[in-house]
Amino acid sequence: MLLQVILEGIGLGVLLILVCAIGIRKGAVGMVHLYSPAVQQRCVKLGLTTHEKIKRNSLLFKAVCIPGYIGYVLVCVYGINGAKGFVQGFWQLLVILSVMNLMDRLLVDGYWVGHTNAWTILGTEDLKPYITAKDKQKKWLFGTVGMAVIAAVLAVLMTAFIH
């Protein structure tokens, strides 16, 4: 079961990477809502985007990704794996979300954003690294704690819903 849950986490990580790839398909400015305010401001100043487009893309990203990711993990854990009760649901949700978080931190932030030009926005190169050491610390902390909180909340809700 653990291997299956890890593979489901890799599947969620692949979905995240796919969403990012779609978001930057016409250039990284399409995902500038994920960058620091300084980079966003520079993009607006350079005429690459507007504050309205940034806000719209951010809302669209959240409206698609959050329900999509939650739906994915719930289908995996409760639909496919047949979890019953809080403990079964929680550990599976936590593993899936943690694997996705690891992929996001290591593959997306660490490698793709940090070591390729795919996320470079012309005219903002002086603002690199786009993800600073302080940002990385926050992402690791909030990602790790956040995944545990999300897993707990979903497990509580599903336990109440199933019974």
Side-chain angles (χ1 to χ4, degrees), residues 134-155:
K134 188 176 179 180
D135 293 335
K136 287 179 184 179
Q137 287 176 337
K138 287 180 191 175
K139 286 179 167 226
W140 275 106
L141 175 65
F142 291 117
T144 304
V145 173
M147 295 306 159
V149 169
I150 292 167
V153 168
L154 291 175

Side-chain angles (χ1 to χ4, degrees), residues 29 32 36-49 51 54 121-128 130:
V29 75
V32 75
S36 70
V39 176
Q40 293 177 21
Q41 278 298 117
R42 178 77 59 82
C43 288
V44 170
K45 183 179 175 185
L46 293 171
L48 301 173
T49 191
H51 289 292
I54 294 170
I121 301 172
L122 296 179
T124 68
E125 296 90 346
D126 61 309
L127 299 173
K128 284 184 169 184
Y130 293 128

Side-chain angles (χ1 to χ4, degrees), residues 107-120:
L107 297 177
V108 177
D109 293 348
Y111 177 72
W112 200 10
V113 176
H115 291 89
T116 74
N117 289 324
W119 290 81
T120 300

